[in-house]
Amino acid sequence: MKVFLPLALTLATASSYSLQLTGRTGRFASTRLMSTPTYSIPDQPARFAKAKVENNSRFLDIDSCYDPSYLSGKRVALTGANRGIGLSLAKELSAQGAKIVALVRKSSPELDALNPEEVITGIEATSDSACATLADKIKGGPVDVLINNAGYFYEPVEMISDSSLNFSEELKMIDICALGPLRVTSNLFQAGLIKEGCRVAMITSQGGSVSWRTTQNPSGGDYGHHMSKSAANMMGVLVSQEFRSKNIPVTILHPGFNKTEMTKKYEKIWEIEGAVDAAVGAKRVLHEVGLINMERTGKFINCEDGLEIPW
Ligand SMILES: NC(=O)c1ccc[n+]([C@@H]2O[C@H](COP(=O)([O-])OP(=O)(O)OC[C@H]3O[C@@H](n4cnc5c(N)ncnc54)[C@H](OP(=O)(O)O)[C@@H]3O)[C@@H](O)[C@H]2O)c1
């Protein structure tokens, strides 16, 4: 079948635009020009090496472009704020004059030292009833930003070949990483604590990208981790779709490779693969949170370089 392209389309470069054909007859039921994103690259050491060769300041020096002024006076709800990236986010939010609403299982001395506006404890991500208490426990009204950050990565590598699969841990990861943020987000929304204009960030992981598995897991493995983060990505996209008509933008964020308890098992490759202190990771995340808007809703962004990650 011969398809006649409108002149404007024949002039558009193939690399910049893709043409979507829809309709059962093969004729143009509708045409839409979509810009093709420049994707981040899956090979983590090569990505870091390329950033150094190119002297990529967005990647290597977040302070060169980070503008946190949008945070001043904003109420920011944050899960997992007691340690790791969450604690670093809380520290940076505090430094920028944001009002932290920490949603945690238990607090920590470091979190308490920040004097958050509210510390809501007992928020076990796997518990329907615990997450349902958010409506009563949060006293200060709607939040301007929600960052779903809490997560869990079972320590041992899981393989079929050496019988190291752990199905109960797999379900736990899916429960915490994918259902947890859905429980928190839905309870906050139902309670009127997320309203039009609120920015929602879902911290998932590059590990949730299916198309990057062939590069990052050439021998498979870590089933529960990757499945949980893929499920989290799916959750994030569906929430973004449901919230579209409510003008509540949702972005799915890979926070980058951060030196935390979670990645301690990869300590030997931290320097080779560009792992950063969580204080740097927090600024990268908050830089991307500052860019959340309805045009970017539903996108999956690598906070290391600001580029999209393919699903
Ligand atoms: N670090 C990285 O390089 C990296 C890379 C990609 C993605 N991520 C993602 O970034 C997020 C933060 O990671 P991190 O490195 O900061 O991890 P972390 O140091 O292990 O901290 C995990 C946080 O999640 C909370 N959490 C765990 N299980 C929970 C549960 N059942 N209910 C409620 N809260 C729970 C922990 O609270 P407790 O103290 O109560 O356990 C803690 O605050 C995670 O979603 C992780 O998957 C991290």
Side-chain angles (χ1 to χ4, degrees), residues 26-265:
R27 298 178 58 191
F28 283 107
S30 68
T31 59
R32 198 150 54 107
L33 278 175
M34 296 174 61
S35 63
T36 304
T38 304
Y39 286 119
S40 187
I41 55 177
D43 183 326
Q44 177 93 30
R47 188 194 309 152
F48 181 44
K50 183 167 180 277
K52 285 191 283 189
V53 168
E54 292 173 351
N55 200 15
N56 180 337
S57 58
R58 166 64 187 79
F59 197 123
L60 302 172
D61 178 18
I62 188 64
D63 286 323
S64 65
C65 58
Y66 174 54
D67 177 6
S69 55
Y70 76 96
L71 291 167
S72 181
K74 294 289 189 299
R75 265 170 72 75
V76 181
L78 170 64
T79 67
N82 58 322
R83 63 185 174 95
I85 297 172
L87 178 62
S88 291
L89 284 166
K91 286 179 179 172
E92 179 60 21
L93 288 167
S94 174
Q96 299 305 334
K99 298 170 184 169
I100 301 165
V101 182
L103 314 179
V104 290
R105 294 200 284 194
K106 57 184 186 317
S107 193
S108 64
E110 296 96 325
L111 176 59
D112 290 338
L114 300 174
N115 287 319
E117 176 135 304
E118 300 188 55
V119 179
I120 312 295
T121 57
I123 305 306
E124 164 58 55
T126 61
S127 166
D128 295 350
S129 56
C131 292
T133 64
L134 285 169
D136 289 335
K137 285 181 171 174
I138 294 178
K139 302 296 182 199
V143 297
D144 300 296
V145 179
L146 165 63
I147 304 177
N148 281 295
N149 158 77
Y152 171 64
F153 190 164
Y154 171 61
E155 171 91 33
V157 173
E158 283 186 279
M159 300 294 286
I160 295 172
S161 41
D162 63 6
S163 304
S164 55
L165 292 184
N166 187 323
F167 293 114
S168 62
E169 284 290 327
E170 291 184 12
L171 283 171
K172 182 174 162 185
M173 282 183 271
I174 292 168
D175 207 355
I176 294 172
C177 297
L179 299 182
L182 186 57
R183 287 188 182 97
V184 168
T185 306
S186 59
N187 276 290
L188 293 181
F189 180 80
Q190 294 291 348
L193 297 170
I194 293 177
K195 289 183 181 298
E196 179 168 358
C198 173
R199 304 172 198 211
V200 178
M202 304 290 186
I203 306 280
T204 70
S205 172
Q206 64 179 345
S209 167
V210 173
S211 62
W212 277 12
R213 284 320 91 220
T214 47
T215 304
Q216 298 188 341
N217 292 74
S219 310
D222 279 335
Y223 289 83
H225 171 63
H226 296 293
M227 290 161 66
S228 75
K229 291 301 189 180
S230 268
N233 285 349
M234 178 64 83
M235 176 276 303
V237 171
L238 292 172
V239 174
S240 77
Q241 287 300 104
E242 183 163 0
F243 282 2
R244 240 174 221 281
S245 61
K246 304 171 199 327
N247 277 320
I248 301 171
V250 180
T251 302
I252 299 128
L253 299 176
H254 166 57
F257 194 11
N258 288 263
K259 300 173 184 173
T260 65
E261 273 176 64
M262 183 176 280
T263 62
K264 189 96 178 130
K265 59 184 173 183

Side-chain angles (χ1 to χ4, degrees), residues 9-29:
L9 273 181
T10 59
L11 294 176
T13 59
S15 61
S16 304
Y17 299 100
S18 66
L19 179 66
Q20 284 215 329
L21 292 176
T22 56
R24 271 172 266 160
T25 62
R27 298 178 58 191
F28 283 107

Side-chain angles (χ1 to χ4, degrees), residues 35-41 212 296 298-302 305-311:
S35 63
T36 304
T38 304
Y39 286 119
S40 187
I41 55 177
W212 277 12
R296 286 163 71 90
K299 291 194 187 300
F300 181 21
I301 306 289
N302 184 354
D305 54 19
L307 299 176
E308 281 189 56
I309 298 176
W311 304 110

